[in-house]
């Protein structure tokens, strides 16, 4: 008999793990503040939260004594039908998951074997290198330029060199820089036979006209990821979906966990689609506040915000007023929780999620107080 725990696979034991944001209550306690007096701007959540109609629908569903006592529909029939109405695509091109993260992982596992490659363009979403590590994939990084724009020539060279056994993973708008993937570059990669997994988690804040979903019919190697976490304000319920060729979707449905979307998330997602026009009013408010915040940050000496198509702004911090982490900590002390990074490319940067319009003055006052 041994007292040692079972051994995890060696490559997993070596992983650093994903660095998530710290919960609001914990961050507030660290700063000695009341959570109600804090601005949680570190995770790009919808500052208006769940729409009242979605909350009401959930409350009504939970009042049913049979709710949650049976398994959800493994084929996601009603949810996929709602998403079909939302996207205009046939349900056969849609599959839902427990957040887009599940579908990112599932797609990589479905298409690649250990030792195959994914191509990313850092700085970007930290989940991509995490998933590459977990799945024993070769991570090919094509860094962005000093203004965080994609290096199209270098990216195309990596695509050509890696061949068809690689997946290009891009975010549009990119997290954390907020820029869109140029349509011409996307079409060039797809036209040369590349498989592209395009993460459109924040596309609603850019405007749906910026989506690449109209390319799905022309390019069967395009897979688009979306989420309800940001635009619909239900990040805690974990609901995302993928748009792709019907054959690929059929295979994802075949290999996904049968009951991967819980009943609460499904009800909330359908309700969000039904009141999408009203949620769009919140999105317009966020976009307007984002533009006001950007202009205000431009006027603050020592800060260099980047234009953004999303619900956050990446802000360069002049070392003369302190490193990004130092400014981050000073903001946290007054109840403004922004996102900082260990990535050397982002050492002197903060990412600030867009607050509600009625919180903007408070945010700017607190930034001014520490700078």
């Amino acid at each position: 008999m041994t007292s040692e725990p079972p051994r995890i696979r060696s490559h997993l034991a070596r992983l650093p793990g994903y660095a998530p944001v710290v919960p609001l209550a914990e961050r507030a306690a660290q700063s000695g503040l009341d959570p109600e007096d804090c601005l949680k701007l570190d995770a790009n959540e919808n500052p208006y939260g769940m729409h009242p109609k979605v909350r009401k629908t959930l409350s009504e569903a939970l009042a049913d004594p049979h709710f949650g006592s049976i398994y959800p529909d493994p084929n996601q029939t009603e949810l996929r039908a709602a998403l079909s109405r939302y996207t205009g695509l046939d349900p056969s091109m849609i599959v839902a998951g427990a957040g887009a993260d599940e579908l990112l992982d599932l797609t990589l596992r479905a298409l690649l074997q250990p030792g195959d490659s994914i191509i990313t363009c850092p700085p970007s979403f930290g989940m991509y290198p995490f998933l590459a590590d977990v799945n024993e994939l070769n991570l090919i990084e094509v860094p962005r330029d000093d203004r965080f724009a994609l290096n199209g020539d270098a990216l195309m060279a990596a695509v050509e060199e890696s061949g068809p056994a690689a997946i290009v993973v891009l975010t549009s708008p990119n997290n954390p820089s907020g820029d869109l993937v140029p349509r011409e570059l996307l079409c060039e990669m797809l036209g040369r036979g590349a498989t592209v997994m395009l993460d459109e988690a924040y596309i609603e804040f850019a405007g749906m006209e910026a989506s690449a979903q109209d390319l799905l019919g022309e390019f069967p190697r395009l897979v688009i990821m979306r989420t309800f976490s940001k635009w619909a304000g239900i990040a805690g319920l974990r609901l995302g979906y993928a748009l792709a060729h019907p054959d690929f979707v059929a295979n994802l449905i075949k290999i996904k966990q049968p009951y991967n979307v819980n009943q609460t998330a499904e009800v909330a997602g359908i309700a969000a689609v039904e009141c999408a026009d009203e949620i769009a009013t919140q999105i317009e408010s966020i976009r307007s506040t984002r533009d006001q915040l950007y202009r205000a940050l431009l006027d603050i000496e020592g800060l260099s915000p980047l234009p953004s198509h999303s619900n956050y702004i990446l802000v360069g911090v002049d070392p003369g007023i302190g490193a990004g982490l130092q400014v981050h900590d000073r903001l946290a002390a007054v109840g403004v929780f922004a996102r900082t990074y260990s990535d050397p490319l982002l050492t002197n940067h903060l990412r600030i999620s867009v607050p509600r319009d009625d919180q903007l003055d408070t945010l700017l006052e607190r930034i001014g107080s520490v700078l």
Side-chain angles (χ1 to χ4, degrees), residues 49-79:
M50 186 185 298
H51 191 278
K53 287 189 176 180
V54 177
R55 190 175 301 279
K56 182 174 183 292
T57 301
L58 273 179
S59 296
E60 292 170 349
L62 289 167
D64 182 341
H66 302 293
F67 184 82
S69 62
I70 61 174
Y71 289 108
D73 175 12
N75 290 317
Q76 310 165 344
T77 306
E78 291 186 23
L79 178 57

Side-chain angles (χ1 to χ4, degrees), residues 123-194:
S124 194
F125 186 28
M127 187 60 69
Y128 308 145
F130 170 80
L131 290 175
D133 285 343
V134 168
N135 291 296
E136 291 187 278
L137 302 175
N138 178 38
L139 181 66
I140 300 172
E141 297 186 324
V142 182
R144 293 164 178 261
D145 66 20
D146 57 2
R147 292 290 291 173
F148 304 113
L150 289 169
N151 185 333
D153 291 340
L155 181 54
M156 288 306 307
V159 168
E160 292 290 339
E161 184 176 345
S162 302
I167 293 179
V168 182
V169 185
L170 296 172
T171 314
S172 188
N174 184 49
N175 176 13
S177 53
D179 58 306
L180 296 166
V181 174
R183 191 177 181 88
E184 299 80 8
L185 178 60
L186 178 61
C187 289
E188 185 177 2
M189 287 186 290
L190 292 166
R192 296 194 190 183

Side-chain angles (χ1 to χ4, degrees), residues 114-284:
D116 287 343
S117 299
I118 68 169
I119 301 170
T120 67
C121 297
S124 194
F125 186 28
M127 187 60 69
Y128 308 145
F130 170 80
L131 290 175
D133 285 343
V134 168
N135 291 296
E136 291 187 278
L137 302 175
N138 178 38
L139 181 66
I140 300 172
E141 297 186 324
V142 182
R144 293 164 178 261
D145 66 20
D146 57 2
R147 292 290 291 173
F148 304 113
L150 289 169
N151 185 333
D153 291 340
L155 181 54
M156 288 306 307
V159 168
E160 292 290 339
E161 184 176 345
S162 302
I167 293 179
V168 182
V169 185
L170 296 172
T171 314
S172 188
N174 184 49
N175 176 13
S177 53
D179 58 306
L180 296 166
V181 174
R183 191 177 181 88
E184 299 80 8
L185 178 60
L186 178 61
C187 289
E188 185 177 2
M189 287 186 290
L190 292 166
R192 296 194 190 183
T195 298
V196 179
M197 189 159 64
L198 187 67
D199 189 344
E200 290 189 343
Y202 300 94
I203 198 66
E204 281 84 0
F205 302 103
M208 297 307 288
E209 67 277 3
S211 173
Q213 75 167 53
D214 62 302
L215 298 177
L216 287 166
E218 182 180 358
F219 297 110
R221 289 182 176 270
L222 174 62
V223 181
I224 295 176
M225 300 295 173
R226 300 254 186 90
T227 182
F228 280 76
S229 295
K230 314 303 181 182
W231 73 276
I234 57 172
L237 298 184
R238 312 307 303 130
L239 181 61
Y241 61 100
L243 307 173
H245 188 279
D247 291 349
F248 184 60
V249 166
N251 280 308
L252 287 186
I253 290 174
K254 183 170 61 178
I255 65 173
K256 72 174 180 63
Q257 291 292 325
Y259 310 114
N260 61 330
V261 176
N262 72 73
Q263 197 172 4
T264 304
E266 183 177 35
V267 167
I270 293 171
V273 167
E274 296 306 316
C275 64
D277 289 345
E278 295 178 39
I279 296 176
T281 302
Q282 292 181 345
I283 293 171
E284 282 304 312

